[in-house]
């Protein structure tokens, strides 16, 4: 029917064939039209029994106002004009009405052209408006998300993880986490499996035997007694074998203590060191002991360095002598593309963790009355104990899994904020080591997705990561990061960790890069104001101490800012003491530290606020000047290197200029320009890469912005190098470390200087 109708209208020989004729005929027809041509009934009557075409009926009564222009529209739709080509002229008594219609159409057409022209001339106007709207609405959105994070939900997830792990030890926690994330509404979730070579306990526990034949397990039980958890009391990647020798007390294994030992004892490959955890990274202390000639090490936790409430010093624990920063062998693919080979031997030392119960059986432990409350363990100088150390472990390929979830950003989906938390596999007996972080992660995801369902999204992509293989050197995060290193090096913005967030019931500590410390302070003050349980909402002690765990790869390989909030025991004296230790059992530990999950909720809100601010702020909340001030403070008053102090001063001046000229206007929505903001964010995102050294001592961060603990006032690698010179009797190590630090500061100063030139030259000629 439609084809016949069109053919009937096209029979006229008077239809114009060019644009010029079309324009003239259109004007002529409009002048001669009568009111009947605008009557729908008259048009329908011309066809008798032929049904009216709805599309023709509409267009025949509406002059075209298409943005394309009147004449272009008529050329594309010739049948629009054909309705008028066969019409008979009528009287012109309504000429005024027709003229008014024509004038209205012409004005509308011209106005459309003007609007289109000026919109094209200023394409960023809409972007600026959207940025202003986003900046004004993000704060209420974040507050709504924080309200949906409750201790009840955290406790629910915590109970689920702990109970399911105990009841079904063969199941992979990563699979459960993937299912839970998916059930919450996270659309893009991945389960990534790796086959990795792990160093696991042997078929029988390691033993320690005295000269009189008495045999003990590392936990203190006699070898003929039944034991269940002693097989997990070991050091992964230790050397295997049997060693018989004298035990020498080296306390914390610092350079001063080792110098004292070297002067009073004859050290050989048969000597066994008795070493306390803490003060320095374990891997670094082992490297010193190996360097001066020891053959074995017994490691323990001094009760004075631990809290009375936690009492971990007599519980079985394991340590890993390898972390993700140590490169793996070149045999990357042994079985398939997701398999990789590790060298299981990282030291020639036989290393064995022991409990205080065993030490009291082996030695005459004297008390050094340093305080009235606690007496550190110290062996008497006259006590000479010889024992046989037997260590056996096996290397097996095991599957570990990472759970990865993506919440894509709305404006900058190619920029990633990573929120990470570990989970363990089926070869450990303590789900409470990871259940707290996993439960907090679940509550954060739940609250964010509730808001996403209303149509909101963060500006940048948030990647939720649950890591496997954490006790064996953070294998899961290291492997994932290495696989995606090129992408992450360009796109990763920050890493926020949730590893062991509630370790005690005392102080709240925030460990972060100097560039994020101002944001950490702001976040803590805000959450503290809204905290209902004031006794568990203290102000945070903010420092740039090393963040042990899965953050290691992202800080030291990618050079991105990182942060981590954690509750610790107020009586813990050695910073980061427990981060290198994984306890086999933790009987009701979390319930004792946080029975009502108030601290868990507090950590969850702090972490969410930090993640959402970085993911949603138009300008990344990183502070370049704070980095320069921290560096200058670290070397203030030190006359070791005039060039280092001068370079630090120049860095501060350049960073201050950068902060004032570029960051200040960008943070004002009225002065904000999208092109400038994108350039500024790229500079802020990559600035910490300038502070990565080529190498570092074992256990020390390559990123010089991080110190061993919150009390240090100097660069860690310079402190270590200066101490190491006392053993080697050479300044070569110190000069090398000094040059590394100088290169980093010089690189950063040039980076900010060139960034200023980029803004000056890159925006020339723009309004």
């Amino acid at each position: 029917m439609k084809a016949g109708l069109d053919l009937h209208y096209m029979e006229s020989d008077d239809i114009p064939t060019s644009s010029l004729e079309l324009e003239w005929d259109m004007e002529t027809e409009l002048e001669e039209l009568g009111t009947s041509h605008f009557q729908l009934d008259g048009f329908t009557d011309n066809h008798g029994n032929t049904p009216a075409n709805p599309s023709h009926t509409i267009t025949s009564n509406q002059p075209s106002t298409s943005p394309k222009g009147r004449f272009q529209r008529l050329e594309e739709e010739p049948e629009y004009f054909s309705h008028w080509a066969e019409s008979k002229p009528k009287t012109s008594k309504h000429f005024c009405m027709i003229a008014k219609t024509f004038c209205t159409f012409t004005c509308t057409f011209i106005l459309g052209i003007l609007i289109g022209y000026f919109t094209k001339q200023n394409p960023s106007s809409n972007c600026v408006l959207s940025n202003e709207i986003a900046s004004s609405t993000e704060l209420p959105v974040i507050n709504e998300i924080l309200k949906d994070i409750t201790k009840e939900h955290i406790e629910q997830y915590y109970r689920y993880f702990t109970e399911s792990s105990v009841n079904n030890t063969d199941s992979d926690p990563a699979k459960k986490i993937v299912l839970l994330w998916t059930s919450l509404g996270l659309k893009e979730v991945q389960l990534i499996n790796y086959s990795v070579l792990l160093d696991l306990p042997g078929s029988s526990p390691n033993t320690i035997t005295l000269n009189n034949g008495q045999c003990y397990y590392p936990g203190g039980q006699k070898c003929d007694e039944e034991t269940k958890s002693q097989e997990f009391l070991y050091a992964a990647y230790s050397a295997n074998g049997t060693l018989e020798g004298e035990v020498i007390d080296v306390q914390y294994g610092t350079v001063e203590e080792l110098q004292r030992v070297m002067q009073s004892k004859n050290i050989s490959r048969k000597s066994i060191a008795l070493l306390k955890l803490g003060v320095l990274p374990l891997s670094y202390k082992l490297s010193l002991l190996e360097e001066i000639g020891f053959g074995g090490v017994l490691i323990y936790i001094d009760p004075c360095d631990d809290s009375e409430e936690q009492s971990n010093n007599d519980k079985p624990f394991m340590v890993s002598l390898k972390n993700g920063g140590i490169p793996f062998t070149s045999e990357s693919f042994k079985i398939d593309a997701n398999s990789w080979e590790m060298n299981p031997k990282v030291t020639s030392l036989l290393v064995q963790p022991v409990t205080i119960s065993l030490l009291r059986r082996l030695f005459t432990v004297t008390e050094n009355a340093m305080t009235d409350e606690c007496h550190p363990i110290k062996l008497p100088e006259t006590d000479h104990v010889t024992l046989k150390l037997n260590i056996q472990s096996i290397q097996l390929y095991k599957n570990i899994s990472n759970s990865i979830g993506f919440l894509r950003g709305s404006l900058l989906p190619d920029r990633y904020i990573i929120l990470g938390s570990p989970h363990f596999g089926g070869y450990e007996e303590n789900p409470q080591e990871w259940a707290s972080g996993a439960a907090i992660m679940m509550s954060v995801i739940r609250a964010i997705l509730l808001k996403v369902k209303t149509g909101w999204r963060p500006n940048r992509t948030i990647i939720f990561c649950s890591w496997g293989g954490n006790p064996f050197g953070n294998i899961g995060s290291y492997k994932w990061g290495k696989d995606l290193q090129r992408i992450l090096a360009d796109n990763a913005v920050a890493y926020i960790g949730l590893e062991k967030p509630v370790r005690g019931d005392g102080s709240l500590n925030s460990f972060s890069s100097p560039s994020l410390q101002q944001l950490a302070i702001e976040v803590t003050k805000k959450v503290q104001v809204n905290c209902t349980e004031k006794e568990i909402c203290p102000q945070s002690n903010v420092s740039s101490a090393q963040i042990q765990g899965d953050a290691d790869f992202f800080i030291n390989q990618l050079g991105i800012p990182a942060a981590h909030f954690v509750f610790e025991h107020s009586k813990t004296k050695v910073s980061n003491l427990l981060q290198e230790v994984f306890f086999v059992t933790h009987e009701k530990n979390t319930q004792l530290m946080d029975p009502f999950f108030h601290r868990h909720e507090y950590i969850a809100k702090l972490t969410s606020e930090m993640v959402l601010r970085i993911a949603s702020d138009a300008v990344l909340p990183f502070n370049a000047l704070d980095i320069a001030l921290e560096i200058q403070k670290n070397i203030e008053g030190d006359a070791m290197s005039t060039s280092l102090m001068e370079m630090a001063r120049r860095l501060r001046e350049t960073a201050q200029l950068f902060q004032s000229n570029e960051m200040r206007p960008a943070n004002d929505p009225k002065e904000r320009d999208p092109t400038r903001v994108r350039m500024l964010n790229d500079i802020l995102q990559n600035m910490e890469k300038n502070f990565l050294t080529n190498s570092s001592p074992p256990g020390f961060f390559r990123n010089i912005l991080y110190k061993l603990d919150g009390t240090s006032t100097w660069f860690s690698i310079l402190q270590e190098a200066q101490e190491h010179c006392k053993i080697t009797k050479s300044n070569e190590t110190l000069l090398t470390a000094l040059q590394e630090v100088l290169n980093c500061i010089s690189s950063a100063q040039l980076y900010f200087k060139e960034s200023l030139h980029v803004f000056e030259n890159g925006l020339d000629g723009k309004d």
Side-chain angles (χ1 to χ4, degrees):
M1 295 295 292
K2 186 177 186 299
L5 184 62
D6 292 342
L7 182 62
H8 173 75
Y9 280 109
M10 297 298 291
E11 289 176 353
S12 175
D13 294 331
D14 297 328
I15 296 178
T17 58
S18 69
S19 299
L20 294 177
E21 296 177 51
L22 185 64
E23 180 180 3
W24 184 86
D25 288 342
M26 178 67 173
E27 301 294 340
T28 304
E29 290 294 334
L30 286 174
E31 291 179 359
E32 297 178 351
L33 285 178
T35 55
S36 61
H37 285 281
F38 292 92
Q39 302 300 319
L40 193 60
D41 294 338
F43 184 74
T44 305
D45 291 342
N46 291 336
H47 303 286
N49 297 330
T50 304
N53 190 318
S55 62
H56 292 167
T57 303
I58 296 174
T59 56
S60 63
N61 289 279
Q62 298 290 340
S64 174
T65 58
S66 170
K68 296 181 179 180
R70 176 179 53 162
F71 302 125
Q72 183 179 352
R73 169 72 179 271
L74 294 175
E75 282 183 299
E76 292 177 357
E77 301 180 31
E79 60 185 13
Y80 172 87
F81 183 75
S82 67
H83 304 319
W84 309 107
E86 292 187 62
S87 301
K88 296 180 180 181
K90 299 279 182 95
T91 179
S92 58
K93 64 180 180 178
H94 295 289
F95 172 77
C96 292
M97 181 182 296
I98 302 303
K100 187 182 296 185
T101 303
F102 176 74
C103 292
T104 302
F105 164 76
T106 304
C107 293
T108 304
F109 175 72
I110 295 174
L111 181 61
I113 292 177
L114 293 175
I115 293 175
Y117 174 78
F118 287 110
T119 302
K120 184 177 181 180
Q121 286 295 103
N122 187 19
S124 63
S125 59
N126 291 336
C127 297
V128 174
L129 181 61
S130 64
N131 282 337
E132 293 179 2
I133 294 174
S135 62
S136 63
T137 58
E138 287 302 330
L139 188 59
V141 168
I142 294 176
N143 293 337
E144 292 175 9
I145 293 175
L146 295 185
K147 289 181 181 179
D148 288 326
I149 298 176
T150 63
K151 59 183 181 297
E152 289 79 13
H153 287 107
I154 297 175
E155 182 177 5
Q156 177 184 356
Y157 293 128
Y158 177 85
R159 303 296 181 194
Y160 171 79
F161 286 129
T162 53
E163 293 174 5
S164 61
S165 297
V166 172
N167 297 333
N168 189 4
T169 57
D170 294 332
S171 62
D172 187 355
K175 296 180 181 178
K176 300 176 185 177
I177 291 171
V178 166
L179 292 175
L180 287 173
W181 288 0
T182 305
S183 67
L184 291 177
L186 195 59
K187 302 297 184 183
E188 193 174 347
V189 182
Q190 302 173 355
L191 179 65
I192 306 176
N193 299 311
Y194 305 105
S195 178
V196 297
L197 184 62
L198 302 181
D199 191 53
L200 301 173
S203 57
S204 59
N206 299 333
T207 58
I208 299 170
T209 307
L210 294 174
N211 285 340
N212 58 12
Q214 291 182 342
C215 176
Y216 297 96
Y217 291 133
Q221 298 90 344
K222 293 184 177 180
C223 294
D224 56 356
E225 296 178 0
E226 290 290 335
T227 178
K228 179 180 179 182
S229 60
Q230 297 307 306
E231 62 185 52
F232 288 99
L233 211 163
Y234 82 111
Y237 308 109
S238 165
N240 287 346
T242 302
L243 175 65
E244 185 173 359
E246 181 185 357
V247 177
I248 300 175
D249 187 6
V250 298
Q251 292 294 294
Y252 292 104
T254 63
V255 171
E256 290 82 1
E257 290 163 339
L258 293 181
Q259 282 184 307
R260 175 185 55 79
V261 169
M262 293 170 64
Q263 293 172 358
S264 60
K265 301 286 184 179
N266 293 324
I267 300 173
S268 68
R269 287 300 173 188
K270 291 186 178 181
S271 301
I272 301 174
L274 181 63
L275 177 69
K276 297 180 183 181
L277 289 171
V279 178
L280 293 170
L282 175 60
S283 57
Y284 175 69
K285 295 191 287 188
L286 294 180
S287 69
L288 293 181
L289 293 174
E290 188 174 17
E291 182 178 349
I292 65 178
F294 278 92
V297 183
L298 300 177
I299 59 176
Y300 69 99
I301 302 173
D302 194 298
C304 296
D305 295 330
D306 200 3
S307 62
E308 295 179 2
E309 296 90 344
Q310 198 168 5
S311 300
N312 286 316
N313 53 77
D314 225 18
K315 290 187 173 67
F317 65 93
M318 70 160 287
V319 294
S320 175
L321 307 187
K322 176 179 288 187
N323 58 50
I326 298 178
F328 301 104
T329 63
S330 58
E331 299 178 14
S332 326
F333 304 96
K334 185 173 179 68
I335 300 176
D336 53 43
N338 283 331
S339 297
W340 48 302
E341 178 77 33
M342 296 191 313
N343 182 5
K345 183 179 179 181
V346 297
T347 179
S348 63
L349 296 172
L350 274 71
V351 184
Q352 177 60 59
V354 296
T355 63
I356 301 300
S357 296
L358 177 65
L359 296 185
R360 298 190 184 279
R361 291 196 173 196
L362 296 179
F363 311 110
T364 304
V365 178
T366 60
E367 298 177 346
N368 183 10
M370 296 176 57
T371 65
D372 295 334
E373 298 180 356
C374 185
H375 306 288
I377 291 179
K378 185 178 181 181
L379 299 186
E381 296 289 341
T382 57
D383 200 357
H384 301 281
V385 177
T386 300
L387 54 80
K388 179 187 293 186
L389 181 61
N390 179 38
I391 295 179
Q392 299 295 329
S393 62
I394 56 176
Q395 288 76 47
L396 292 177
Y397 278 94
K398 286 276 191 175
N399 290 326
I400 65 167
S401 303
N402 290 336
S403 306
I404 311 294
F406 295 84
L407 177 59
R408 299 290 179 178
S410 58
L411 297 179
L412 299 167
D414 61 332
R415 293 296 181 260
Y416 309 141
I417 291 84
I418 304 172
L419 177 61
S421 172
H423 67 261
F424 298 171
Y427 37 78
E428 90 296 328
E429 299 182 358
N430 183 25
Q432 294 191 9
E433 280 285 321
W434 58 268
S436 291
I440 291 176
M441 174 89 80
M442 286 293 303
S443 66
V444 171
I445 294 176
R446 173 189 171 275
I448 293 177
L449 291 181
L450 285 177
K451 195 62 184 176
V452 169
K453 292 177 181 178
T454 66
W456 171 89
R457 277 185 179 270
N459 291 339
R460 300 174 182 89
T461 295
I462 302 176
I463 304 180
F464 304 101
C465 302
S466 184
W467 310 114
N470 182 258
F472 294 90
N474 312 307
I475 296 176
S477 59
Y478 185 82
K479 175 57 179 165
W480 184 79
K482 288 295 290 184
D483 286 348
L484 301 176
Q485 184 165 4
R486 292 188 178 182
I487 298 175
L488 295 175
D490 293 333
N491 298 344
V493 175
Y495 182 90
I496 311 299
L498 278 172
E499 184 173 350
K500 302 179 186 177
V502 181
R503 304 171 191 167
D505 55 4
S507 59
L508 172 67
N509 292 324
S510 170
F511 304 103
S512 68
S513 160
S515 63
L516 279 178
Q517 288 184 10
Q518 186 61 40
L519 177 61
I521 293 173
E522 294 176 5
V523 167
T524 304
K525 288 181 178 179
K526 174 186 173 181
V527 177
Q528 184 184 25
V529 169
N530 298 322
C531 182
T532 56
E533 302 292 333
K534 297 300 181 182
E535 66 276 6
I536 58 94
C537 304
Q539 292 185 352
S540 175
N541 300 315
V542 182
S543 69
S544 55
Q546 289 189 181
I547 306 174
Q548 300 292 340
D550 290 298
D552 178 274
F553 177 86
F554 304 96
I555 295 172
N556 293 305
Q557 301 297 327
L558 301 181
I560 64 174
H564 184 197
F565 295 100
V566 57
F567 274 102
E568 293 186 312
H569 284 289
S570 56
K571 297 183 180 181
T572 299
K573 298 180 180 180
V574 181
S575 64
N576 300 334
L577 169 68
L578 301 181
Q579 294 187 27
E580 297 182 311
V581 176
F582 296 90
F583 292 97
V584 179
T585 58
H586 234 316
E587 300 171 1
K588 299 182 179 179
N589 191 30
T590 300
Q591 288 84 343
L592 292 175
M593 293 186 297
D594 191 21
F596 302 107
F597 287 84
H598 291 301
R599 292 177 177 83
H600 284 74
E601 180 184 10
Y602 196 55
I603 292 289
K605 292 181 182 295
L606 291 173
T607 302
S608 298
E609 176 86 14
M610 178 76 84
V611 170
L612 292 171
R613 281 287 306 276
I614 300 174
S616 301
D617 281 7
V619 178
L620 289 173
F622 300 163
N623 199 309
L625 183 58
D626 283 354
I627 293 179
L629 293 175
E630 181 75 10
I631 289 176
Q632 196 169 36
K633 184 179 67 175
N634 287 344
I635 61 176
E636 188 175 7
D638 181 49
M640 186 180 67
S641 173
T642 305
S643 59
L644 188 62
M645 297 176 64
E646 175 62 20
M647 187 57 67
R649 183 189 63 80
R650 291 166 58 186
L651 172 62
R652 187 207 65 196
E653 292 177 353
T654 309
Q656 189 170 359
L657 189 63
F658 173 81
Q659 189 116 342
S660 176
N661 289 6
E662 307 306 336
M663 294 188 67
R664 182 197 56 78
N667 281 292
D668 186 354
K670 296 180 181 179
E671 301 183 41
R672 187 177 298 159
D673 175 77
T675 304
R676 184 180 291 270
V677 168
R678 181 69 188 221
M679 293 166 58
L680 176 61
N681 283 335
D682 288 344
I683 293 170
L684 294 173
Q685 176 182 324
N686 294 299
M687 63 183 177
E688 280 202 19
K689 293 180 173 64
N690 294 283
F691 300 99
L692 297 181
T693 60
N694 293 325
S695 61
S696 62
F700 285 70
F701 275 14
R702 286 180 57 212
N703 192 325
I704 66 172
L705 298 178
Y706 293 83
K707 297 173 290 188
L708 285 180
D709 55 61
T711 61
S712 300
T713 57
W714 205 30
F715 293 109
S716 297
I717 63 171
L718 291 182
Q719 282 183 312
E720 184 278 331
Q722 193 172 42
E723 293 296 314
H724 194 262
C725 289
K726 299 176 182 179
I727 295 179
T728 60
K729 308 299 182 182
S730 171
N731 288 333
E732 182 179 355
T733 303
L734 179 58
L735 293 176
T736 302
L738 183 61
Q739 188 61 48
E740 288 271 16
V741 173
L742 185 61
N743 291 342
C744 289
I745 299 176
S746 176
S747 174
Q749 192 272 336
L750 182 61
Y751 179 79
F752 289 121
K753 182 179 179 181
E754 291 302 312
S755 298
L756 290 171
H757 291 316
V758 167
F759 283 105
E760 292 174 2
N761 301 328
L763 298 177
D764 283 349
K766 294 188 177 182
D767 292 335

